[in-house]
Amino acid sequence: MSTERVRSASGPEIEDLVGRLRARADELIEAMAARIEHEIDFYRSGGLVRPDALRASCRANLEFMLESLVSDGSDPVSARETGRLRAEQGAPLADVMAAYRVGTRSLWDAVLAEAASARIADQVLVLASSRLWQMQSSYTAAMTDSYRDVQSRRLLEQDQQRSALVEALLEGRVSGGGTLWEAVELLRLPHQGPFVVVTAEVPEVGRQALPAVEERLRSVGLASAWRLLPELQVGVVGVPPGRLAALVDLLRRSATGRVGVSPPYDDLDGTGQAVRFARVALSGSTADAPVALFDESPLTMAAVAAPDVMQYVVRKVLGGLDDFPPDDREVLLDTLAAWSTHHGSATETGEYLYCHPNTVRHRLRRIEERTGRSLSDPRSLAELLLALEASRHLG
């Protein structure tokens, strides 16, 4: 039997039942609200949703349900409004949906009592029950959709505001006073350092270099805020003393490309400068060491800090080696690099390169002759090593 046929056959009985319930509306609304407050902790306190607001929602719910029993044309406008209000009030969706279920059960208890008093046939009551729970589902769905629309809009607004604040922080446009305090609160960063800036090379536009990095850092107790740019993913990370190693370890496990980390700094006012240091560190990272810390190798950082200047330095200092075949030139530079990291010892360098110490000395003399710089002169040595670092990182 279709719903339409049932309503036409039992309309007078249902209309009489609805009339009885409407006459008791104030009593039913109070009972409904009291039951919700008793069964759901969120509504019991009356903090976010005041008692009068709850009773207004119960009235709208009751009127919709009763109208739905005698008409097909009911529009759940009140449900959408309730969903919007509860989302703006910050009420948990689960508690709002629970309140709807409690309210409908309360109404159904009243329907049963009135049906018994009016001696309404069981068949009619069953059909009324089906109609009531069907409309409760429709009403709840309308409320939920409205709630989620508001929540999505608010999350988008928060994300846009958060993104703008991160951008302003990274560019050094957030400084001092209430503005900085508000930024820290919204970004959920510590109020005091140390902080570091992390820059990571993205694999392509729109893709994160460090997927889910904020959540992963939070899981190990590190707060951060990130901004995705066309070429870089940039973040500010609060790093308590002794926790830098944990950050670097996570970055090494997460990175899809090169990463640079600034020196630690204490005040967020210094974020703009830290971004520049992190970018320099990124330039100094390599495939073998994709995560570069600015403080780990000042020589490397100096070599990559000003690419146009350093390219001139490379030509000026190492240009005398350009007449050698490329392989021979590379052997000489490899020998100089190994010698510089093995305490300036020809013996240790020879062991590292699997050659005789005299071979090392011969190669170093050739470098001195062709560059006009002595390895025993501190200034000349500094120039050679700086040019060497620049040649390796600038290509």
Side-chain angles (χ1 to χ4, degrees):
M1 181 180 296
S2 70
T3 305
E4 183 62 37
R5 287 174 59 194
V6 169
R7 275 197 299 274
S8 62
S10 56
E13 292 177 283
I14 294 294
E15 289 176 4
D16 178 63
L17 175 62
V18 168
R20 288 169 174 266
L21 293 170
R22 279 177 170 155
R24 298 174 52 201
D26 291 342
E27 170 196 343
L28 297 177
I29 290 165
E30 183 57 37
M32 187 182 296
R35 191 165 172 178
I36 291 171
E37 290 168 340
H38 175 72
E39 295 190 21
I40 304 174
D41 291 340
F42 173 79
Y43 288 93
R44 191 176 304 147
S45 65
L48 290 177
V49 181
R50 295 177 49 182
D52 57 335
L54 173 60
R55 281 153 181 79
S57 292
C58 288
R59 181 176 296 278
N61 194 359
L62 177 69
E63 291 175 353
F64 174 81
M65 291 297 184
L66 294 180
E67 181 63 25
S68 297
L69 288 175
V70 294
S71 170
D72 281 337
S74 299
D75 183 6
V77 174
S78 58
R80 289 192 288 271
E81 179 64 12
T82 298
R84 181 187 67 79
L85 286 172
R86 297 296 177 263
E88 291 178 349
Q89 291 166 337
L93 180 58
D95 287 338
V96 180
M97 294 180 70
Y100 272 59
R101 290 192 293 271
V102 171
T104 304
R105 286 202 310 269
S106 179
L107 174 58
W108 179 241
D109 289 344
V111 169
L112 290 177
E114 286 296 337
S117 175
R119 300 181 182 278
I120 293 178
D122 288 346
Q123 181 184 13
V124 175
L125 190 59
V126 168
L127 294 169
S129 169
S130 176
R131 177 68 175 167
L132 182 68
W133 291 104
Q134 175 188 354
M135 296 314 298
Q136 190 269 346
S137 176
S138 172
Y139 197 77
T140 302
M143 180 278 296
T144 302
D145 288 345
S146 180
Y147 182 102
R148 286 175 174 156
D149 285 346
V150 172
Q151 192 175 51
S152 296
R153 174 177 54 79
R154 293 181 70 183
L155 288 174
L156 179 61
E157 290 173 352
Q158 289 175 1
D159 185 62
Q160 291 172 337
Q161 183 181 7
R162 182 179 171 84
S163 181
L165 273 175
V166 173
E167 181 178 4
L169 189 62
L170 295 174
E171 293 179 357
R173 292 188 283 109
V174 177
S175 60
T179 302
L180 184 58
W181 182 272
E182 291 170 5
V184 167
E185 286 292 314
L186 182 60
L187 298 177
R188 292 175 292 184
L189 289 171
H191 290 279
Q192 294 182 332
F195 304 95
V196 297
V197 168
V198 177
T199 55
E201 204 170 47
V202 301
E204 60 184 63
V205 175
R207 281 189 58 192
Q208 294 188 354
L210 301 164
V213 64
E214 187 168 349
E215 293 76 10
R216 297 184 69 177
L217 286 173
R218 190 181 302 121
S219 72
V220 296
L222 298 177
S224 62
W226 295 83
R227 172 81 169 162
L228 184 60
L229 304 175
E231 298 179 353
L232 296 175
Q233 185 175 3
V234 187
V236 180
V237 185
V239 186
R243 299 304 309 283
L244 183 59
L247 169 64
V248 173
D249 178 65
L250 188 145
L251 293 175
R252 283 174 175 153
R253 289 185 284 108
S254 306
T256 59
R258 299 186 305 154
V259 178
V261 182
S262 77
Y265 61 103
D266 291 326
D267 298 317
L268 282 172
D269 287 351
T271 299
Q273 183 182 49
V275 171
R276 293 190 288 276
F277 287 149
R279 285 177 177 269
V280 171
L282 175 66
S283 300
S285 64
T286 63
D288 294 333
V291 179
L293 278 68
F294 189 95
D295 281 350
E296 279 188 342
S297 178
L299 182 61
T300 300
M301 297 305 106
V304 300
D308 51 344
V309 173
M310 292 314 303
Q311 285 172 355
Y312 172 81
V313 171
V314 171
R315 291 194 301 270
K316 180 72 174 177
V317 176
L318 299 179
L321 304 178
D322 290 345
D323 292 339
F324 288 114
D327 289 346
D328 290 350
R329 183 179 186 275
E330 194 64 24
V331 167
L332 294 178
L333 293 179
D334 286 345
T335 302
L336 176 61
W339 178 80
S340 72
T341 58
H342 286 82
H343 310 99
S345 168
T347 300
E348 290 184 25
T349 304
E351 291 175 354
Y352 175 75
L353 295 176
Y354 300 102
C355 64
H356 196 278
N358 286 338
T359 302
V360 173
R361 295 186 186 99
H362 175 67
R363 293 172 182 174
L364 295 177
R365 279 196 300 271
R366 295 179 75 188
I367 292 175
E368 290 179 313
E369 292 169 357
R370 299 302 292 267
T371 63
R373 286 169 172 79
S374 171
L375 295 177
S376 61
D377 173 53
R379 187 180 184 89
S380 294
L381 177 59
E383 291 175 354
L384 283 168
L385 294 181
L386 182 60
L388 174 66
E389 285 289 334
S391 70
R392 295 295 169 87
H393 289 282
L394 300 178

